[in-house]
Amino acid sequence: MTRSPSPRIGLALAGGGPLGAIYEIGALCALEESLAGLDFTECHSYVGVSAGGFIAAGLANGMTPRELCASFIENVGAAHDIFEPALLIRPAWGEFARRLATLPGLVAGAALRYAFTRRSLSSTVERLGRVLPTGLFSNAMIDVQLQRQFDAPGRTNDFRQLKRKLVLVATDLDSGESAPFGQPGFDHVPISKAVQASAALPGLFPPVEIDGHHYVDGALKKTLHASVLLDEGLDLLICLNPLVPFDSTHATHPRVLSRAGEPIPRLVDGGLPVVLSQTFRTLIHSRLEIGMKGYERSHPGTTIVLFEPDQRDPAMFLANTFSYSQRRTLAEHAYQQTRRMLRSRRGRLAAQLAPHGVRIDAAVLDQPRRLLSPARAATRNTAQALHRLEEVLDDLDDVLVAQGA
């Protein structure tokens, strides 16, 4: 009897900053243990954007969702695997210094231009905008830390050495075109550097220079970039999108809670950060919805399944993702929410997944489970303290070297 070929299953992960990574890790842990026949380290291909690229690169390198949880959420395990999100809020001192160094020349040039050409004062002052930094924080540690992870035995930082196809999408700042790192012509770039480029959100992080080009967040063009996998003729594509607009009119919580814990009855009462967050989420989610409909029309032979947070749930909308305790709480919440979603959509999902050799494990799904064990708190706290001490010592060493000590 001829055995049918294994289904070609792809995974597409959207971005969303540290919050996106937290949600995707929690959701992936829930999905993998509840869906028999699915191994997220053995997919046919992966595409990741921004924070999704960080997760996709780890999975393609054989790191399981649980191992990613230990690295990013719990900060436990091998030293080279621990990734502290607080590394991403280091000021971009190098960018600040480069921009400030141009200030004297810009001021002199602007003054001469105004004096001799009599251009308007506003256009003259506008030239001084070049001194403003292109990003507030440095994400260079993404490259450093991921290179350390992927240099471990059994892993690779080279797209061409991976057993599975991996595409990490950034945007070329000068052309506005997508840069699919991992595809031919872009596969010579180290995976860690591609993740850094894909996650360079404009305004927050400076553009990342690679081969004379400057790259920023891949989500500027599309939310998922799933077409780079769909064009290969996948049987099943699983998509995760962590950012959804919050529907406060049908919220599961009677009142929205701000980051500080004070109740705010309406989103507008949360001020500018909440309004901007809701606006940004609404824009990218509407674009995602249009894209998903387009994928279904252009690739009718592929089953496409999307997982994302409940829009009525405020927990994933207002959160301090750089807080260690908040990361654990949100990861557990994403894990439990995904399990609830699987139970509520059990019949429909079973019908979609069964033709591809994936089934819902009712015994696992209906059994009470937790992602994180409270019993390991002491170990986690110790690991976190040691890791932060190491950071302080590294910073002190940099200062001494700079001073010639």
Side-chain angles (χ1 to χ4, degrees):
M1 179 177 178
T2 303
R3 187 175 180 180
S4 60
S6 300
R8 294 157 64 92
I9 301 176
L11 180 65
L13 301 175
L19 175 63
I22 292 168
Y23 168 80
E24 289 178 347
I25 288 173
L28 287 168
C29 287
L31 291 173
E32 185 163 69
E33 69 180 23
S34 301
L35 301 179
L38 179 62
D39 183 344
F40 283 118
T41 65
E42 296 291 336
C43 289
H44 172 270
S45 49
Y46 307 81
V47 62
V49 182
S50 193
F54 163 77
I55 305 299
L59 295 171
N61 257 294
M63 297 180 69
T64 68
R66 286 280 179 171
E67 289 175 330
L68 289 172
C69 181
S71 168
F72 190 74
I73 306 299
E74 299 184 274
N75 297 142
V76 296
H80 59 261
D81 275 347
I82 295 176
F83 192 102
E84 173 56 66
L87 296 175
L88 302 181
I89 56 174
R90 290 182 173 181
W93 296 121
E95 173 70 3
F96 297 160
R98 284 191 295 272
R99 296 288 167 171
L100 285 174
T102 67
L103 182 58
L106 286 174
V107 171
L112 290 173
R113 182 181 180 87
Y114 180 71
F116 291 101
T117 65
R118 293 301 178 182
R119 294 291 180 89
S120 67
L121 182 60
S122 61
S123 64
T124 302
V125 172
E126 185 178 332
R127 293 175 58 86
L128 298 179
R130 300 177 186 179
V131 77
L132 297 176
T134 56
L136 299 177
F137 302 105
S138 171
N139 69 350
M141 288 305 297
I142 291 180
D143 181 26
V144 174
Q145 178 58 41
L146 292 186
Q147 182 177 352
R148 188 179 304 145
Q149 285 188 351
F150 299 154
D151 282 345
R155 303 175 189 166
T156 180
N157 200 29
D158 189 331
F159 284 102
R160 298 163 295 189
Q161 300 299 320
L162 287 172
K163 297 179 181 178
R164 311 290 175 182
K165 181 181 181 66
L166 170 66
V167 180
L168 304 174
V169 186
T171 303
D172 189 315
L173 182 63
D174 292 312
S175 69
E177 296 298 319
S178 297
F181 293 107
Q183 295 278 58
F186 292 89
D187 54 0
H188 66 287
V189 176
I191 295 173
S192 57
K193 179 62 72 173
V195 174
Q196 180 192 0
S198 181
L201 182 64
L204 190 63
F205 301 115
V208 176
E209 183 176 1
I210 300 175
D211 296 338
H213 293 260
H214 291 87
Y215 297 96
V216 293
D217 198 306
L220 267 64
K221 290 285 288 186
K222 295 181 181 179
T223 303
L224 275 175
H225 290 275
S227 57
V228 300
L229 302 188
L230 290 168
D231 290 343
E232 297 185 348
L234 294 177
D235 299 303
L236 171 64
L237 177 66
I238 295 176
C239 308
L240 269 71
N241 171 52
L243 296 186
V244 296
F246 176 54
D247 184 0
S248 61
T249 62
H250 297 90
T252 56
H253 194 287
R255 294 167 72 86
V256 182
L257 295 179
S258 73
R259 288 181 176 85
E262 303 91 355
I264 51 176
R266 300 171 302 172
L267 290 182
V268 70
D269 296 324
L272 181 61
V274 171
V275 172
L276 289 179
S277 177
Q278 179 76 337
T279 302
F280 174 73
R281 288 164 178 260
T282 302
L283 287 173
I284 64 171
H285 196 259
S286 63
R287 185 177 64 178
L288 173 65
E289 291 176 329
I290 295 173
M292 294 297 290
K293 292 178 181 178
Y295 294 148
E296 292 172 357
R297 289 193 300 267
S298 60
H299 299 83
T302 303
T303 300
I304 304 175
V305 182
L306 172 66
F307 297 99
E308 56 185 10
D310 186 342
Q311 295 187 27
R312 302 166 300 172
D313 184 357
M316 299 300 293
F317 179 68
L318 295 166
N320 176 10
T321 55
F322 291 105
S323 165
Y324 180 70
S325 60
Q326 279 281 293
R327 293 207 309 275
R328 288 179 47 80
T329 300
L330 290 171
E332 184 69 45
H333 184 80
Y335 172 83
Q336 297 298 346
Q337 187 188 72
T338 303
R339 285 171 55 84
R340 287 194 295 272
M341 180 274 302
L342 287 171
R343 289 192 289 267
S344 66
R345 294 170 54 187
R346 187 180 319 212
R348 180 181 177 186
L349 285 172
Q352 290 179 300
L353 299 174
H356 310 295
V358 180
R359 65 177 179 83
I360 296 177
D361 191 329
V364 171
L365 189 57
D366 294 333
Q367 178 187 33
R369 292 194 174 199
R370 288 185 56 86
L371 174 64
L372 305 172
S373 172
R376 296 177 60 184
T379 302
R380 287 190 305 271
N381 291 339
T382 301
Q384 180 193 22
L386 291 174
H387 184 60
R388 288 180 175 173
L389 176 60
E390 181 181 344
E391 292 176 11
V392 172
L393 292 175
D394 287 343
D395 291 341
L396 178 59
D397 183 62
D398 292 340
V399 171
L400 292 176
V401 170
Q403 293 180 349

